Amino acid sequence: TPVGVRALAAGNVVFAGAFAGYRHLLIVDMGGGWHALYGNLTHCDLQVGQAVAAGQPLGGYQAAQGNRAEPFWFEVRRGVDPVALDQWPGLPKDWKSRLFSRLP
């Protein structure tokens, strides 16, 4: 079942497109050197330079396309280094319920 993916924090889109086998990768610059990476989106209509609000729909995700499953990928980075989610000061307490939404 496809689901919608929402932004966990506000920022600006710095990358939106296919990348190294991750279907569609979206990178949001959240300021202060922090970036959120949303990978394996099946669709996304955002463009580089667009502002993103916390909770805003970013696109959609569906695990199976054709005969192979593609896991959703979410990562937070400080500079170029990945950071454990519990080390990100902007992580909402209920982040898991905020990340995905039902599609109409």
Side-chain angles (χ1 to χ4, degrees):
T1 302
V3 295
V5 177
R6 296 182 290 193
L8 289 180
N12 291 301
V13 176
V14 293
F15 183 87
F19 181 79
Y22 285 106
R23 291 194 269 187
H24 193 98
L25 174 64
L26 181 70
I27 303 176
V28 177
D29 180 345
M30 300 179 291
W34 292 96
H35 294 85
L37 290 76
Y38 302 84
N40 270 332
L41 296 171
T42 48
H43 72 274
C44 177
D45 296 326
L46 298 176
Q47 305 293 320
V48 171
Q50 264 185 283
V52 173
Q56 175 180 334
L58 301 174
Y61 166 74
Q62 185 170 357
Q65 280 205 317
N67 61 355
R68 62 183 228 196
E70 298 284 347
F72 178 77
W73 177 64
F74 176 72
E75 181 174 285
V76 174
R77 290 182 175 233
R78 178 78 190 245
V80 297
D81 299 316
V83 175
L85 286 180
D86 63 351
Q87 299 300 307
W88 174 34
L91 183 70
K93 290 180 183 176
D94 56 349
W95 71 272
K96 289 179 185 176
S97 64
R98 290 180 182 213
L99 186 59
F100 297 111
S101 63
R102 293 184 190 266
L103 292 173

